[in-house]
Amino acid sequence: MLTVWRIIFGLIAFILAIYGLITKKFILMPYIIFFLGLTFLIMGFSELKKEQKTMAPILFIVSGFNIFVAIFTFFS
């Protein structure tokens, strides 16, 4: 189930990024970063499930940073 969510969030980020590049609307960047953060969060949970303890904290830190930046740029 985690793989399905990772693919969904990754595809949403990819589609928004392609749309932003084609139309040159960079107002979508917070949404792209947010969905990438969710993708990294799901990847962190799947790494914990596989018991790879070295990669999971790195993915959680990157996810938290991405979500923080997305929320910060959305409201500023």
Side-chain angles (χ1 to χ4, degrees), residues 13 16-17 25 29 34-36 46 48 51 58 62 64 69 72:
L16 287 175
K25 290 184 180 180
M29 288 301 288
F34 179 74
F35 282 112
L36 282 176
S46 81
L48 273 180
E51 295 183 7
I58 296 170
V62 169
V69 168
F72 184 75

Side-chain angles (χ1 to χ4, degrees), residues 26-35 66 69-71 73-74:
F26 297 110
I27 197 160
L28 296 174
M29 288 301 288
Y31 299 110
I32 296 168
I33 294 171
F34 179 74
F35 282 112
N66 278 352
V69 168
I71 292 171
T73 56
F74 184 73

